[in-house]
Each structure stands twice: as C-alpha cells, then as structure tokens.
Amino acid sequence: MTDRPATDRPATGRAPAEPVRILLCDDHAVVRAGLLALIGSEPDIEVVGEAGSGEEAVASAAKLRPDVVLMDLQLGPGIDGVEATRRISASGVRVLVLTTYDTDADITRAIAAGATGYLLKAERPEELFAAIRAAALGRTTLSPPVASRVMNQLRGASGPALTPRELDILAQLANGLGNREIARALFISEATVKTHLGRVYGKLGVDTRAGAVAVAKERRLLP
C-alpha cells in the first residue's frame, strides 16, 4: 500500500481549483499501476494512495480522507469491496465502484452499501475520468449496462427485487450450504434463514433449493 500525506480538510467541500484526490483499491498491483499511469494524464485528478485489500482501503480512507475511493469488488482474502464500500461510505467518503462484475447481486449490494457510482472496467478512459469528477461532486454515474439492469429491477422486469440479505443467503445456497451452515456463515439464526428462504422462493416463483439456484443463475442474480 502506498499513501501520501493527508490534509486536514474534509472529503466534501473541495475548492473548484483543487484536483480530485482519489484512493485506488484493487488487489492486482498491475491494475493499480495501469490506473495510476492512466489517471496521471489528467491534471485535475490526483492519486493520493493505493490499497490492495478491503482492510487497507478502509484504513487509508480514514487516514487520507480522499474525495473518492475507486473500489474493485473482488479483493481476495479479507473483506470484499462491498463491505469496504459500506465502511468507507459511512465515514462520509464517496466510493466509485470500478469492476468487471455486473450481475444484479453485485450491483444491488454495492448500491445498498452506499456506492456513489458503478462503472465497468470496459469503459473508455474518458468515461472513467468523468465518473470520478461526478463522484467527487456527489453525482451518480452508472455504466450503460448497469443502468439498464437497475432500470429493469425498478420496473419489475424480473419480478420483486431480492434484498441484500436475501441475495447473501441465495449465494450461500448456491455454494451448497445447508440452513445451519448458512446461519453460521452469516451470523444469524437458523429460523431467520428459513424465513428469508421462504421469501426468496416466493419472489423467484420456485419451491425448492435447486429451483432457486437455477432461476437465480438464469437471471444473473448470483456473483
């Protein structure tokens, strides 16, 4: 992890003439190096730190107070990008997700965690720069495919939307875990797991665990 000295000013209230200060979080050093070189071409955007894990991102965001954290979702061992986003957003620092994943589950969890925007790595550099500037101002930016999926959810194109907790349980279900194992993994009671499963079955229009997983995969609800 590489940090540069923080200033005493808060994450919000940045003067127009000052560059947007960002923290990069990606578990691949090569990706971070590429982003650093790419963003370095923009005079109004400054990388003030790097993090290779969710824990490092949370600690660096607290120390550096950047305007925006550029966050990947899959970060290897430790907390993932969604949990890191939740903790960082709670402190008032804005988070712009930059990832290759665009499933309904990933998008829903990231937005519910407080992400200001959601961008795919396939976007053009100009789109990335614009999204960073928008995020610094508190404006939401979504990649076109992500925006379409969000609109479909709002329109109910795939039926009632699953809650973040229901998506967590569905993901554990897809991994072959039983109710007791799911309860332990998510630190909830077995009775709560059964209640959520009943709601998941109802929303997906199925009555078996296998059916729920099959429909979830068909609708791209699983990470």
Side-chain angles (χ1 to χ4, degrees):
M1 177 179 65
T2 302
D3 292 338
R4 301 180 187 179
T7 64
D8 293 330
R9 63 182 175 78
T12 56
R14 178 178 49 82
E18 295 178 337
V20 178
R21 303 171 68 254
I22 68 170
L23 169 68
L24 301 178
C25 181
D26 195 294
D27 62 337
H28 293 98
V30 172
V31 173
R32 295 200 307 273
L35 287 171
L36 187 61
L38 181 66
I39 294 171
S41 66
E42 295 299 291
D44 64 333
I45 303 176
E46 177 187 6
V47 177
V48 297
E50 302 175 38
S53 70
E55 288 84 355
E56 288 181 353
V58 172
S60 291
K63 175 183 176 183
L64 300 171
R65 298 298 294 174
D67 297 303
V68 179
V69 176
L70 208 55
M71 178 71 68
D72 193 11
L73 291 184
Q74 302 297 327
L75 298 174
I79 64 174
D80 64 6
V82 171
E83 180 57 29
T85 295
R86 181 177 292 108
R87 298 184 190 183
I88 293 171
S89 297
S91 72
V93 175
R94 290 163 181 145
V95 178
L96 172 62
V97 170
L98 179 65
T99 184
T100 58
Y101 304 93
D102 68 340
T103 66
D104 287 354
D106 289 316
I107 296 167
T108 299
R109 292 177 66 227
I111 293 176
T116 299
Y118 197 111
L119 211 64
L120 299 179
K121 290 181 177 178
E123 294 294 342
R124 295 176 302 171
E126 294 77 13
E127 297 298 329
L128 172 60
F129 302 149
I132 290 173
R133 296 179 184 112
L137 296 173
R139 298 172 183 167
T140 298
T141 300
L142 303 174
S143 285
V146 174
S148 295
R149 300 186 74 80
V150 171
M151 289 302 297
N152 286 338
Q153 288 184 32
L154 293 176
R155 291 170 182 154
S158 298
L162 299 182
T163 67
R165 174 58 80 188
E166 290 166 354
L167 287 169
D168 287 340
I169 288 178
L170 189 57
Q172 299 295 334
L173 200 68
N175 289 332
L177 273 62
N179 289 0
R180 182 174 299 178
E181 294 170 311
I182 294 175
R184 289 175 178 171
L186 300 179
F187 302 101
I188 56 179
S189 70
E190 194 170 346
T192 299
V193 172
K194 292 179 180 179
T195 298
H196 282 303
L197 278 177
R199 293 171 181 166
V200 169
Y201 290 171
K203 290 180 178 181
L204 298 183
V206 300
D207 53 14
T208 66
R209 302 166 79 89
V213 172
V215 171
K217 288 182 177 179
E218 178 183 335
R219 296 184 183 176
R220 299 183 67 190
L221 295 175
L222 294 170

